[in-house]
Amino acid sequence: MRKSMFFATPVVALGLLGMSAGPAIAHDGGDHGGDHGAEHSESYTAEDSWSFEASLDSMNNSGTTGDVMVHVEGNEATVTMNVDGAAETFMDGPFPHAQHIHFGAQGVCPPPEADQDGDGAVNVEEGHPFYGAIGTSLTTEGDTSPDSGLAVDRFPGGSSYTYERTVEVPDDVLASMADGTGVIVVHGVDPANLSEQAQNAQSELDPELPLAATLPAACGTLNASQMTDMPDGGADTGVGTSAENGTGVALGVGGGLLAAAALGGGAFAVRRAVKA
């Protein structure tokens, strides 16, 4: 079993590769529904109100799907997500699912052909040229910057959950969303759904972690929308999961949680940690 460890530098993980500043948003306000292209290169002000939506498609044979609605007022974005079919548990606790708005690349989800090492899975590094770097971490509380990219004690967990939170989104991330290159990615795949090679591989982000812990599980490009609410309705506050039990299970440390990750026989486990 691999030794217990702290995520002392989560900023380097889950796609913070080649991060660079983008242009400031420009838009002149008005109706932002329908296709978004050249019109989004005009002028954007803090008084503008936009809506974006995305359908999350499964990646890496995860079975994870979902829907996302993002309503933007200035630099504040209210994000509502419904996720189903995600990896359910680590040991006897909910599997944590890091989730982010990625930006600054092609604005698409990577195809299976993006797999470069032949293990049957598209890892974070292989997916980065398609969906880009982390722009905003969709945590349940606290910091939402890329620094919280692996603060998994502050991400939703379990096989099915609804997430709703209003977060601050930087200008360059908003510009990417307006240009059609903002992408939502949910991470964490049940190793049982992977090839034997991938089951027994460590994450390219950290050799102390199994590959399954950081693999993209679902992905969708944000598109302009005339809708202002999720079809099924979002949660009023916080996050609801199918495995809520008052405990936190983490792949690492974020906000003081200690975690251990072990890989053996195609499976992995983490130490269950209860918030103090």
Side-chain angles (χ1 to χ4, degrees):
M1 179 176 291
R2 294 185 175 273
K3 64 183 179 180
S4 299
M5 62 171 296
F6 289 90
F7 273 122
T9 55
V11 67
V12 300
L14 288 179
L16 295 180
L17 306 172
M19 190 170 186
S20 61
I25 280 194
H27 200 285
D28 63 352
D31 183 3
H32 309 299
D35 293 338
H36 59 291
E39 69 191 73
H40 282 185
S41 63
E42 297 171 14
S43 66
Y44 181 87
T45 69
E47 289 73 31
D48 280 344
S49 175
W50 289 5
S51 290
F52 299 91
E53 62 182 341
S55 293
L56 301 179
D57 295 324
S58 177
M59 284 188 61
N60 292 318
N61 199 37
S62 68
T64 305
T65 59
D67 295 290
V68 183
M69 178 65 66
V70 182
H71 183 68
V72 178
E73 297 276 356
N75 285 87
E76 289 192 345
T78 298
V79 182
T80 305
M81 299 174 60
N82 295 320
V83 175
D84 292 299
E88 184 173 5
T89 59
F90 266 166
M91 302 293 283
D92 55 353
F95 194 124
H97 294 288
Q99 52 184 26
H100 319 95
I101 302 174
H102 289 253
F103 81 112
Q106 299 178 46
V108 298
C109 299
E113 293 74 23
D115 173 25
Q116 297 296 307
D117 57 13
D119 65 354
V122 178
N123 63 31
V124 169
E125 185 174 315
E126 293 165 340
H128 180 266
F130 296 87
Y131 53 64
I134 295 174
T136 301
S137 298
L138 300 177
T139 56
T140 57
E141 61 182 1
D143 177 59
T144 59
S145 76
D147 289 353
S148 291
L150 272 180
V152 290
D153 62 303
R154 293 188 287 112
F155 286 113
S159 63
S160 179
Y161 60 86
T162 295
Y163 169 91
E164 183 174 275
R165 189 179 181 196
T166 299
V167 299
E168 288 287 330
V169 180
D171 284 348
D172 51 359
V173 180
L174 288 172
S176 193
M177 293 165 60
D179 289 341
T181 55
V183 181
I184 302 288
V185 181
V186 176
H187 298 264
V189 177
D190 186 336
N193 295 335
L194 302 174
S195 68
E196 182 176 357
Q197 180 181 348
Q199 287 180 20
N200 289 283
Q202 276 70 49
S203 171
E204 81 282 13
L205 303 177
D206 192 322
E208 296 287 346
L209 291 175
L211 178 65
T214 58
L215 280 178
C219 177
T221 299
L222 289 164
N223 295 300
S225 171
Q226 293 181 346
M227 299 177 63
T228 57
D229 296 299
M230 293 290 287
D232 296 330
D236 291 333
T237 58
V239 176
T241 79
S242 63
E244 290 176 321
N245 60 5
T247 64
V249 177
L251 304 179
V253 162
L257 291 183
L258 174 66
L263 180 65
F268 59 94
V270 297
R271 180 177 303 161
R272 189 175 182 180
V274 181
K275 289 185 178 179

